Amino acid sequence: MPRPAADPSRPATPERLLIAAEREFARAGYQAARLEDIAAEAGIQRASLLHHFGSKEALYSSIVGRSFAALGAALTGPTLEPGRFERRLERLVRAFAKFVDARPALARIILRELIGEAGPGRAILLEQVVPLLVRVEGFVRREGRERIRPRLPVRAALLDTAGALLIRAASGDLRASLWGPSDRGWTVARALFLKETRHSRVSRGHAAREARA
């Protein structure tokens, strides 16, 4: 009997597993997540899951590793493109926000790793996040040296911005109640990073008058 034709709209099995695993690891954490539950959500048996990923650690590492590779690619463009520093920094912040907003489960996984004492994802965070952080910090210091605030602790400012955006992305149905309906991530980042100029004071005054109108 011929095998039924594959549904072209359905992701391949490894991709379904990664999607299901990301949700389960975000919900339960690495230790409590069960391969049986992940396999069931992906529509396969546990043995089939282990055929694609030999262990829970391998599955988890695949999720975290590929996610940070994709994040690095998303953040590369704004740091390399020509143009004014302010515009490139804005694109960088918005690219990060867009990435984590599209992956709230990943945001929860990252936060779990940051506050946990052990886990296979911590090594990946150190191997992939630290070089990415160094690269972005270098961009801000090099390209923004005339525009960033004097004596700004650039790495701390980057981590404060990223941490706030991660928490917002991970907050689920609390997001609107806590942050409101508008995205103010770039507004906060701009105030944190950039020196005030006459143009920025005029723009802020114009925005305030519009808000009161």
Side-chain angles (χ1 to χ4, degrees):
M1 183 175 181
R3 179 180 297 179
D7 182 354
S9 66
R10 192 182 193 202
T13 300
E15 182 65 21
R16 295 203 313 275
L17 282 169
L18 289 168
I19 293 170
E22 187 172 298
R23 286 197 292 261
E24 183 62 15
F25 285 130
R27 185 194 67 80
Y30 175 76
Q31 297 296 337
R34 293 169 12 109
L35 292 182
E36 292 84 352
D37 296 335
I38 295 170
E41 185 173 344
I44 64 172
Q45 298 296 316
R46 184 178 186 275
S48 296
L49 182 155
L50 291 172
H51 171 74
H52 292 283
F53 300 95
S55 65
K56 181 163 76 169
E57 181 174 344
L59 177 58
Y60 189 81
S61 297
S62 294
I63 292 168
V64 179
R66 79 168 192 161
S67 295
F68 278 107
L71 176 60
L75 299 184
T76 296
T79 64
L80 297 179
E81 68 182 15
R84 294 171 58 245
F85 170 73
E86 290 91 335
R87 177 57 180 160
R88 295 161 69 190
L89 181 63
E90 179 181 359
R91 283 201 60 211
L92 186 73
V93 172
R94 292 191 186 280
F96 183 83
K98 181 179 179 181
F99 185 89
V100 295
D101 282 350
R103 305 281 293 277
L106 176 65
R108 296 186 187 102
I109 289 173
I110 295 171
L111 291 173
R112 282 181 178 275
E113 290 291 355
L114 290 174
I115 64 177
E117 295 183 356
R122 293 180 70 83
I124 301 174
L125 290 180
L126 290 174
E127 291 169 4
Q128 296 194 29
V129 174
V130 172
L132 179 58
L133 181 60
V134 168
R135 191 162 78 240
V136 174
E137 181 184 8
F139 157 73
V140 173
R141 291 187 183 278
R142 182 180 64 255
E143 303 295 330
R145 59 186 178 273
E146 301 298 328
R147 285 292 294 119
I148 61 176
R149 292 181 178 277
R151 298 179 296 279
L152 174 72
V154 174
R155 183 171 295 198
L158 288 170
L159 289 171
D160 284 349
T161 301
L165 292 171
L166 277 170
I167 293 171
R168 189 186 71 177
S171 61
D173 58 5
L174 292 175
R175 177 169 173 164
S177 298
L178 293 174
W179 277 270
S182 300
D183 176 8
R184 298 294 182 183
W186 166 239
T187 302
V188 174
R190 180 174 57 196
L192 181 62
F193 280 91
L194 300 180
K195 292 188 292 188
E196 190 172 64
T197 65
R198 181 178 179 279
H199 175 74
S200 64
R201 288 194 297 270
V202 171
S203 296
R204 192 173 64 247
H206 179 68
R209 286 192 297 273
E210 285 189 341
R212 291 193 297 269

